[in-house]
Amino acid sequence: MRRLTKKKALTLVKELDAFPKVPESYVESTASGGTVSLIAFTLMAVLAFLEFFVYRDTWMKYEYEVDKDFSSKLRINVDITVAMRCQYIGADVLDLAETMVASDGLKYEPVNFDLSPQQRLWHMTLLHIQERLKVEHSLQDVIFKAAIKAVPPAQPERYIEDVILEESPTSLSACRIHGHLYVNKVAGNFHVTVGKSIPHPRGHAHLAALVSHDTYNFSHRIDHLSFGEAIPGIISPLDGTEKISVDPNHMFQYFITIVPTKLKTYKVSAETHQYSVTEQDRAINHAAGSHGVSGIFMKYDISSLMVKVTEQHMPLWQFLIRLCGIIGGIFSTTGMVHSMVGFLVDVICCRFQMGIYRHLKVSH
């Protein structure tokens, strides 16, 4: 009884076979079929190989949401060189609430404004990258994934010794201001102007009256300016900016919009800030109606939107489905093409033979 049941079940399963086997005696191998099969297998191998590279590749996904963090502090990372002596200038931050932020985190270092050959090469390379980023926006995704960290080279010791031997220590006519500040997460103004800053009931003031106008020179170079945690993979728009002032009384203004950013790649996972910037500069001439204060002013505002940048990868199941589609599609397509070509060849040969037969019949 059990054997009978198993036999019926096996017969039922055989009837459900969607892939019936053709006996080998009915199968005929041809040279054309072998050629088509060889072409099909080659295409399958090539496309599967290319699909594997697509599977290994990653892409960046951008999402936007409202930034709900208003209580934390914002870090400002600064590295700027001004063509004035350190005792003549001061840098600080004044936010929208007229709160003066202590600049204890900033260091003033007397340097030469001219760069060494190695630093100049790095500076030109950075400017070239900045220009390409403005044209090819997809380059930023490559930098995100590669986690490139832009660090300027230090001046070689031999170069410093040559400068010191040729010139006296008092000839270091520029000042490098570098370090970081923590400010409230509101709009503010980071500026470098004449004189050291002092507290004031209405904000703050700079002791500019003690500095001669002949020493004014706000030519500057921004080696680095960023907001938030300094992480690799982000090259800030102002990095490498260099401005040369012809007029000693000159105002440089940078209007910055800061965008909170969550970056998550396979190499880096952090919260930081990106920014966009517009700039303008003008000479201060009160007689001509161009009023203002000589200096470098960076006015920043914080966007209420946050950008989430995530590196994504094709899942394995999707790769397998695409691979099956490639193999099945090529196999089916080449089979149909081979059948159609064989049918057309048979029709042409048949008509050709009929034409020869009619011609012979007429001749007889």
Side-chain angles (χ1 to χ4, degrees), residues 168-318:
S168 63
T170 57
S171 64
L172 299 176
S173 57
C175 183
R176 179 190 175 203
I177 305 172
H178 60 98
H180 61 270
L181 299 168
Y182 287 95
V183 300
N184 297 321
K185 208 170 181 181
V186 295
N189 181 1
F190 171 76
H191 52 271
V192 180
T193 188
V194 179
K196 300 298 181 182
S197 61
I198 57 173
H200 191 272
R202 295 186 178 180
H204 77 301
H206 287 261
L207 297 175
L210 303 178
V211 182
S212 172
H213 282 75
D214 297 334
T215 62
Y216 284 20
N217 185 2
F218 282 99
S219 300
H220 62 279
R221 181 175 54 253
I222 303 174
D223 289 322
H224 182 68
L225 178 69
S226 64
F227 299 85
E229 182 182 352
I231 60 174
I234 294 181
I235 299 178
S236 301
L238 286 177
D239 290 359
T241 300
E242 186 176 56
K243 300 291 184 180
I244 304 299
S245 173
V246 179
D247 195 319
N249 291 326
H250 213 96
M251 174 190 284
F252 295 92
Q253 292 178 305
Y254 299 94
F255 301 94
I256 299 172
T257 301
I258 304 171
V259 181
T261 304
K262 284 185 179 180
L263 180 63
K264 186 177 181 181
T265 67
Y266 291 108
K267 294 184 178 180
V268 178
S269 180
E271 294 187 12
T272 184
H273 295 75
Q274 300 182 91
Y275 65 87
S276 60
V277 60
T278 56
E279 58 185 77
Q280 69 173 14
D281 62 276
R282 58 186 174 90
I284 303 300
N285 189 344
H286 298 287
S290 178
H291 304 292
V293 179
S294 301
I296 305 165
F297 299 87
M298 301 178 181
K299 301 179 180 180
Y300 60 88
D301 197 1
I302 303 174
S303 173
S304 59
L305 292 178
M306 174 184 287
V307 180
K308 295 176 65 177
V309 185
T310 309
E311 186 177 5
Q312 291 193 334
H313 186 273
M314 181 188 296
L316 179 60
W317 62 266
Q318 189 174 353

